Amino acid sequence: MLDKSFDPKEAEARIYKMWEDSGAFKPRAEKPTDTKDDNFSIVIPPPNVTGSLHMGHALNNTIMDILIRFNRMKGKAVLWQPGMDHAGIATQMVVERKLAAEQKYRKNMSREDFLNHVWAWKEESGGMIEQQLRRLGSSCDWSRSKFTLGASPNADDAEKAIQQNMGDGVTKAFVEMYEAGLIYRDKRLVNWDPHFQTAISDLEVETKTVDGHYWHLRYPLADGVTYEHPITDEEGKVTGHETRGYVVVATSRPETMLGDTGVAVHPDDERYAALVGKEVVLPIVNRRVPIIADDYADPEKGSGAVKITPAHDFNDYEVGKRAGHELISILDDRGHILPLVIIPEEFHGLFSVKARKLVVAKFDEAGLLAETEKLKIEQPFGDRSGVVIEPMLTDQWFVDAEKMAKDAVAAVNRGHAAHPTSSSSGAYVVSNETTNRRIHGADAGMNPRVKPEGDGGEGRENGTRFIPENWKKTYDHWMENIQPWCISRQLWWGHQISAWYGPSLTKVNYTGEAPASLEIWDWDNPEIFVANTFEEALEKASVFYGNVDANAVLIGKEAESSEKWRNQTFDDDGQNVMLLRDPDVLDTWFSSGLWPFSTLGWPENTEELERFYPTSVLVTGFDIIFFWVARMMMQGLHFMKDENGEGVVPFDDVYIHALVLDEAGKKMSKSIGNTLDPLDLIDGVTSDVLVEKRTRGLKNPDKAPQIAKATRKAYPDGFEPYGADALRFTLASQAGQGRNIRLSVDRIAGYRNFGTKLWSAASFGQMNECSPVEGFDPSTATLPVNKWIISETAKTAMEISRCIDTYRFNDAADAAYKFTWDTFCAWYLELSKPLLSGADGAEKDETRATFGWVLDQILKLLHPFMPFITEDLWAKIAEGRKSNLITADWPTYGDELVNADAVAELEWVQTLITNIRSVRADMNIPPSKKAPLLLCGDTLDPRLAIYAPQLSPMARVEHVELASAVPDNALQTVVDGVQYAIPLAGLIDMDAERKRLAKEIEKAQSEIEKIDRKLGNEAFVAKAPEKVVTLQKERRAGYAAEVETLQAALDGLG
RNA sequence: GGGCGAUUAGCUCAGUGGGAGAGCACUACAUUGACAUUGUAGGGGUCACUGGUUCAAUCCCAGUAUCGCCCA
């Protein structure tokens, strides 16, 4: 006997362990007959090692798990590759914060000591999210979980073996890209985060609109020059001129004037034409700088003249470069004014905001502050640090993204061209069945790519397709405007850059002769040796310096610090020039970009790489298309080559899912206090705990009472334990291909109820001995009711398969829900009751077997969505199953099981029952009151006798008989043009019945009118397809018959 | 400023060139037989607005309004 209901708390952990222990999460062994089509793979978007599960993960992983389980059941070799991202900045931040609480600071530690702290933290507290992902039911192959940074120095050998390639791969990628000219080192303006004191990429900068000021500053013209400045009225008309000995520039950052190199005006701006070529004297610093003409100056904005600070503004940088200006950096790493001789001492060391106030005060004092304007300004902030980002001139490593982007754009064009928008059916071509490729690792030869068999699709031809396809535009747009990607970070936690520096020989005209002395070597613009290892770098250096000064031979010393390297010149033996390894690390996304192949073992040529690259689909949110998807495309195409040397895309499809928002449509965020923890929805939570969690550790604690109040109002009773299945099903059912999902807790409860419904139907089946029958062949069923439910099962199975294949998860979930609840539970189960409780015999046996078979199919079809409850039932309703549900065969039958006659017959039964119920309910006839059903006509429909046992309980029909005329005091209904009467003397309000009939007639009448308008239109009859015209005629006939019968009924009432 | 998207029942959202849908909420009725985490029935919508294309528009096109997101 089944328990009363499913207990997720008890079952989830037990079942998950059973799956994992069974080896079901590992890809099945390769068969000799396997083609690329028989493999299905997904790489997980690696969560940050610091991360904890949020709703975005829940959606993302639910979708992946649906795809994975579906394809696994279809018999494919399935690999869901898990892993984590080391998340450079985020992790370093977490650990530094933790150390600070213990009065320990990174600055006072060696790099090695600090990294040991981070690794220790990772072992202890990192990676919690992998446990949380298990709670969702994610069926990843955890045994191959990868970490972008590789193994910890203290890891055991097994772990080291698993992670070995991760670090090697990144180094190899860096070196190869450098050698291919795709990576270079350059002094450029970059986004500088003064808090973390590192460069960050454009993508890590968030521009926000904040309250700010525009200060209009007067820059005096040099040498007593003056000009006539036009004075305008409110409408912009010039009303006169005034003589000015200054130009006005407006800025939101006055402190940068300390580093100004000029003032720009538009070349066509007549007002300033005479001033171009003249100079202004910068106040405070008393420097002369030129007035130049440049298109960048917008005559419409402000005074039309702009100050130019090339070292601290991206636009000014370009202007300065065009004008050949020298760059003057005025800020240090922390955003403080540098102690430069050209800057008055009182500014030295001031934080930029303080310097700003002082500059403004000085201008004001000197009468040079023309105006202070309050307005909203756009300001860049670091997405992690939250501080204002300073453009800074520094030496950094860059990827020439523009070059790589071309191939990546072309690959997506190919992907979409191979799959033109589908026909009106809206069905996508099933991707993973139209590709058939084999790939080998970088060092191996490639097999020719086999063209897929055509099923209408042309095959992917090594392209990637976005789903929904509108994301292609976003991707294209960004790729076409891509900027050099700054990949170096001034952090410690990450892949240290594999480059070594030696002194440069550029200062001498190097001819191969030994320079006279090391003194003239240039330490500021070092020679760069990019290599996989120090030994390799040394070799390269030896070749380079080989015939230089015989007194200074490089023999393999690596400088421990840049100070030592610069200041000491020779190593401790006083003999040798040292090489210095670049202390910086790579942007985390550089290693994430290798994820689709590094996780499969690259740069080794592994079996997994062969079998599972390219991956079938990438499932992710649109917020990381640029960060991640684009980079994987670029790096995948660069490193993974086919036998012709063509780059191979990392995935066939990219499915972009929605963002999960709260019920009000707001982005979930800790600071707003509207986050929902997936685990709370799975396990349940009290309102008190929920409030506590939402108000703990707020950046702005003042908000706590407000958040607490809103939380208690929204969820006064907290959450019940809905279980992982309900959460998954809700996410799937809301995963329409739109932009976002408002998560509804009511719906989660609704889908929990759905699970209970399924459970109770299974329980009913068990009580009635409806166990699955070994070898039952559904095509042999004889009873129409069984043929019908088998038909509906087949139709549903086809529908669900089609929907999952085309990433229409909500449609798939809906189809499963409707079939289970409405078709199976509400109709079949009730219709089967008389048979199951009737006399033993062939019909009862067939019905039991059918019931058992259909329930099995339901469990299979629901399994990808609700893995736990289905697996539990699978085991509990039948003993000695051949396999667990997770590896059971997916239903693949189809039309051959659909019996149109049986479907028509049962639809008639349902209409009859529904109509009887409806007229009775309309007249408020209590269900307890049974009544005969009279067929008003000449012959009794034999089907009425057959379904009498069902009509009795379901439609409260006492018995069925033929009547020549409608008796008085009877309700009437029409099914298929046949009139039925239900005599209920004494229970019917005849006036109400007349009104009811009149209303029904009116309804049908208005439909007829609508159709008549159409059919009366000659153009419609002439031009519309015949099918449509016929359909309308048929519909009209149907309504007409109904009206006639209803009218007769109404007339009969007198 | 450029781009993308949304606007359908009270709420949250599907949907389609030819008969307006679901879940929740609501109303009425029911209840010892799978299930109250229930059953049956019902009410409720000019498919944002204005034009256009078409025999036919909620759907395609153009514009307007409102809201949201991304980029500058």
Coordinates of all heavy atoms in Angstrom, one line a residue, chain A residues 473, chain B residues 5-6 48-53 57-63:
Chain A
K473 N 20.6 38.6 -32.6 CA 20.8 40.0 -32.9 C 21.7 40.7 -31.8 O 22.6 41.5 -32.1 CB 19.5 40.8 -32.9 CG 18.8 40.6 -34.2 CD 17.6 41.6 -34.2 CE 16.7 41.2 -35.4 NZ 15.4 41.9 -35.4
Chain B
rG5 P 12.7 42.2 -30.9 OP1 12.6 40.9 -31.5 OP2 12.3 43.4 -31.7 O5' 11.9 42.3 -29.5 C5' 11.8 41.2 -28.7 C4' 11.3 41.5 -27.3 O4' 11.9 42.8 -26.9 C3' 9.8 41.8 -27.2 O3' 9.1 40.7 -27.3 C2' 9.8 42.4 -25.8 O2' 10.0 41.4 -24.8 C1' 11.1 43.3 -25.8 N9 10.8 44.7 -26.1 C8 11.0 45.4 -27.3 N7 10.6 46.7 -27.2 C5 10.0 46.8 -25.9 C6 9.5 47.9 -25.2 O6 9.3 49.0 -25.6 N1 9.0 47.5 -23.9 C2 9.2 46.3 -23.4 N2 8.7 46.1 -22.1 N3 9.8 45.2 -24.0 C4 10.2 45.6 -25.2
rA6 P 7.6 40.8 -27.8 OP1 7.1 39.4 -28.0 OP2 7.4 41.8 -28.8 O5' 6.9 41.3 -26.4 C5' 6.8 40.5 -25.3 C4' 6.3 41.4 -24.1 O4' 7.0 42.6 -24.0 C3' 4.8 41.9 -24.3 O3' 3.9 40.9 -24.0 C2' 4.8 43.1 -23.4 O2' 4.7 42.7 -22.0 C1' 6.2 43.6 -23.5 N9 6.3 44.7 -24.5 C8 6.8 44.7 -25.8 N7 6.8 45.9 -26.4 C5 6.2 46.7 -25.4 C6 5.9 48.1 -25.4 N6 6.2 48.9 -26.4 N1 5.4 48.6 -24.3 C2 5.1 47.8 -23.3 N3 5.4 46.5 -23.1 C4 5.9 46.0 -24.3
rA48 P -4.0 44.1 -27.1 OP1 -3.8 44.1 -28.5 OP2 -2.8 43.8 -26.2 O5' -4.5 45.5 -26.6 C5' -5.0 45.8 -25.3 C4' -4.9 47.3 -25.1 O4' -3.6 47.6 -24.8 C3' -5.3 48.1 -26.3 O3' -6.7 48.3 -26.4 C2' -4.5 49.4 -26.0 O2' -5.2 50.2 -25.0 C1' -3.3 48.9 -25.3 N9 -2.2 48.6 -26.3 C8 -1.6 47.5 -26.7 N7 -0.7 47.6 -27.6 C5 -0.6 49.0 -27.8 C6 0.2 49.7 -28.7 N6 1.1 49.2 -29.5 N1 0.0 51.1 -28.6 C2 -0.9 51.6 -27.8 N3 -1.7 50.9 -27.0 C4 -1.5 49.6 -27.0
rC49 P -7.4 48.3 -27.9 OP1 -8.8 48.2 -27.6 OP2 -6.7 47.3 -28.7 O5' -7.0 49.8 -28.4 C5' -7.4 50.9 -27.7 C4' -6.8 52.1 -28.3 O4' -5.3 52.0 -28.1 C3' -6.9 52.3 -29.8 O3' -8.1 52.9 -30.2 C2' -5.7 53.1 -30.2 O2' -5.9 54.5 -29.8 C1' -4.6 52.6 -29.2 N1 -3.8 51.6 -29.8 C2 -2.8 52.0 -30.7 O2 -2.7 53.2 -30.9 N3 -2.0 51.1 -31.3 C4 -2.2 49.8 -31.1 N4 -1.3 48.9 -31.7 C5 -3.2 49.3 -30.2 C6 -4.0 50.2 -29.6
rU50 P -8.8 52.4 -31.6 OP1 -10.1 53.0 -31.6 OP2 -8.6 51.0 -31.8 O5' -7.9 53.2 -32.6 C5' -7.8 54.6 -32.6 C4' -6.8 55.1 -33.7 O4' -5.5 54.7 -33.3 C3' -7.1 54.5 -35.0 O3' -8.2 55.1 -35.7 C2' -5.7 54.7 -35.7 O2' -5.6 56.0 -36.2 C1' -4.8 54.5 -34.6 N1 -4.2 53.1 -34.5 C2 -3.1 52.8 -35.3 O2 -2.6 53.6 -36.0 N3 -2.7 51.5 -35.2 C4 -3.2 50.5 -34.5 O4 -2.7 49.4 -34.5 C5 -4.4 50.8 -33.7 C6 -4.9 52.1 -33.8
rG51 P -8.8 54.4 -37.0 OP1 -10.0 55.1 -37.3 OP2 -8.7 52.9 -36.8 O5' -7.7 54.8 -38.1 C5' -7.6 54.0 -39.2 C4' -6.3 54.2 -39.9 O4' -5.2 54.1 -38.9 C3' -5.9 53.2 -40.9 O3' -6.5 53.6 -42.2 C2' -4.4 53.2 -40.9 O2' -3.9 54.3 -41.6 C1' -4.1 53.4 -39.4 N9 -4.1 52.0 -38.8 C8 -4.9 51.5 -37.9 N7 -4.6 50.3 -37.5 C5 -3.5 50.0 -38.2 C6 -2.7 48.8 -38.3 O6 -2.8 47.8 -37.6 N1 -1.6 48.9 -39.2 C2 -1.4 50.1 -39.9 N2 -0.3 50.0 -40.7 N3 -2.1 51.2 -39.9 C4 -3.1 51.1 -39.0
rG52 P -7.3 52.4 -43.0 OP1 -8.0 53.1 -44.1 OP2 -8.0 51.6 -42.1 O5' -6.0 51.6 -43.6 C5' -5.1 52.3 -44.4 C4' -3.9 51.4 -44.6 O4' -3.3 51.1 -43.3 C3' -4.1 50.0 -45.2 O3' -4.2 50.1 -46.6 C2' -2.9 49.3 -44.8 O2' -1.7 49.6 -45.6 C1' -2.7 49.8 -43.4 N9 -3.2 48.9 -42.4 C8 -4.3 49.1 -41.6 N7 -4.6 48.1 -40.8 C5 -3.6 47.2 -41.1 C6 -3.3 45.9 -40.5 O6 -4.0 45.3 -39.6 N1 -2.2 45.3 -41.1 C2 -1.5 45.9 -42.1 N2 -0.4 45.2 -42.5 N3 -1.7 47.1 -42.6 C4 -2.8 47.7 -42.0
rU53 P -5.1 49.1 -47.4 OP1 -5.2 49.5 -48.9 OP2 -6.4 48.8 -46.7 O5' -4.2 47.8 -47.4 C5' -3.0 47.7 -48.0 C4' -2.3 46.3 -47.8 O4' -2.0 46.2 -46.4 C3' -3.2 45.1 -48.1 O3' -3.3 44.8 -49.5 C2' -2.6 44.1 -47.3 O2' -1.4 43.5 -47.9 C1' -2.2 44.9 -46.0 N1 -3.2 44.8 -45.0 C2 -3.2 43.7 -44.1 O2 -2.4 42.7 -44.3 N3 -4.2 43.6 -43.2 C4 -5.2 44.6 -43.0 O4 -6.0 44.5 -42.1 C5 -5.1 45.7 -43.8 C6 -4.1 45.8 -44.8
rA57 P -10.0 41.6 -40.8 OP1 -10.8 42.8 -40.7 OP2 -8.8 41.5 -41.6 O5' -9.8 41.0 -39.4 C5' -9.3 39.7 -39.1 C4' -8.3 39.7 -38.0 O4' -7.0 39.4 -38.5 C3' -8.2 41.1 -37.3 O3' -7.9 40.9 -35.9 C2' -7.0 41.8 -38.0 O2' -6.4 42.7 -37.3 C1' -6.1 40.5 -38.3 N9 -5.3 40.7 -39.4 C8 -5.3 41.6 -40.4 N7 -4.4 41.5 -41.3 C5 -3.7 40.4 -40.9 C6 -2.5 39.8 -41.4 N6 -1.9 40.2 -42.5 N1 -2.0 38.8 -40.7 C2 -2.6 38.4 -39.6 N3 -3.7 38.9 -39.0 C4 -4.2 39.9 -39.7
rU58 P -8.9 41.2 -34.8 OP1 -9.9 40.1 -34.9 OP2 -9.4 42.6 -35.0 O5' -8.1 41.0 -33.5 C5' -7.4 42.1 -32.9 C4' -6.2 41.5 -32.2 O4' -6.7 40.4 -31.4 C3' -5.1 40.9 -33.0 O3' -4.2 42.0 -33.3 C2' -4.5 39.9 -32.1 O2' -3.6 40.5 -31.2 C1' -5.7 39.4 -31.3 N1 -6.2 38.1 -31.9 C2 -5.5 37.0 -31.7 O2 -4.4 37.0 -31.1 N3 -6.0 35.8 -32.2 C4 -7.2 35.7 -32.8 O4 -7.6 34.6 -33.2 C5 -7.9 36.9 -33.0 C6 -7.4 38.1 -32.5
rC59 P -3.5 42.0 -34.8 OP1 -2.7 43.2 -34.8 OP2 -4.5 41.8 -35.8 O5' -2.6 40.8 -34.8 C5' -1.5 40.7 -33.8 C4' -0.9 39.3 -33.9 O4' -1.9 38.3 -33.7 C3' -0.2 39.0 -35.3 O3' 1.0 38.3 -35.1 C2' -1.2 38.1 -36.0 O2' -0.6 37.2 -36.9 C1' -1.9 37.4 -34.8 N1 -3.3 37.0 -35.1 C2 -3.6 35.6 -35.1 O2 -2.7 34.8 -34.7 N3 -4.8 35.2 -35.4 C4 -5.7 36.1 -35.7 N4 -7.0 35.6 -36.0 C5 -5.5 37.5 -35.8 C6 -4.2 37.9 -35.5
rC60 P 2.3 39.1 -35.3 OP1 3.4 38.2 -35.0 OP2 2.3 40.4 -34.6 O5' 2.3 39.5 -36.9 C5' 3.0 38.6 -37.8 C4' 3.0 39.3 -39.2 O4' 1.6 39.3 -39.7 C3' 3.3 40.8 -39.1 O3' 4.7 41.0 -39.1 C2' 2.7 41.3 -40.4 O2' 3.5 40.9 -41.5 C1' 1.4 40.5 -40.5 N1 0.3 41.2 -39.8 C2 -0.2 42.3 -40.5 O2 0.3 42.7 -41.6 N3 -1.3 43.0 -40.0 C4 -1.8 42.6 -38.8 N4 -2.8 43.3 -38.3 C5 -1.3 41.4 -38.1 C6 -0.3 40.8 -38.7
rC61 P 5.4 42.2 -38.4 OP1 6.9 42.0 -38.3 OP2 4.6 42.4 -37.1 O5' 5.1 43.4 -39.3 C5' 5.6 43.4 -40.7 C4' 5.1 44.7 -41.4 O4' 3.7 44.6 -41.6 C3' 5.3 46.0 -40.6 O3' 6.6 46.5 -40.6 C2' 4.2 46.9 -41.2 O2' 4.7 47.4 -42.4 C1' 3.1 45.9 -41.5 N1 2.1 45.8 -40.4 C2 1.1 46.9 -40.3 O2 1.2 47.8 -41.2 N3 0.2 46.8 -39.4 C4 0.2 45.9 -38.5 N4 -0.7 45.9 -37.5 C5 1.2 44.8 -38.5 C6 2.1 44.8 -39.5
rA62 P 7.2 47.4 -39.4 OP1 8.6 47.6 -39.7 OP2 6.8 46.7 -38.2 O5' 6.4 48.7 -39.6 C5' 6.6 49.6 -40.7 C4' 5.7 50.8 -40.6 O4' 4.3 50.3 -40.7 C3' 5.7 51.5 -39.3 O3' 6.8 52.4 -39.2 C2' 4.4 52.3 -39.3 O2' 4.4 53.4 -40.2 C1' 3.5 51.2 -40.0 N9 2.8 50.4 -39.0 C8 3.1 49.1 -38.5 N7 2.3 48.7 -37.6 C5 1.4 49.7 -37.4 C6 0.2 49.9 -36.6 N6 -0.2 49.0 -35.7 N1 -0.5 51.0 -36.7 C2 -0.1 52.0 -37.6 N3 1.0 51.9 -38.4 C4 1.7 50.8 -38.3
rG63 P 7.4 52.8 -37.8 OP1 8.6 53.6 -38.0 OP2 7.5 51.5 -37.0 O5' 6.3 53.7 -37.1 C5' 6.1 55.0 -37.6 C4' 4.8 55.6 -37.0 O4' 3.7 54.6 -37.3 C3' 4.7 55.7 -35.5 O3' 5.4 56.9 -35.1 C2' 3.2 55.8 -35.3 O2' 2.7 57.0 -35.7 C1' 2.7 54.7 -36.3 N9 2.6 53.4 -35.6 C8 3.3 52.3 -35.7 N7 2.9 51.3 -35.0 C5 1.8 51.8 -34.4 C6 0.9 51.2 -33.5 O6 0.9 50.0 -33.0 N1 -0.1 52.0 -33.1 C2 -0.3 53.3 -33.5 N2 -1.3 54.0 -33.0 N3 0.5 53.9 -34.4 C4 1.5 53.1 -34.7

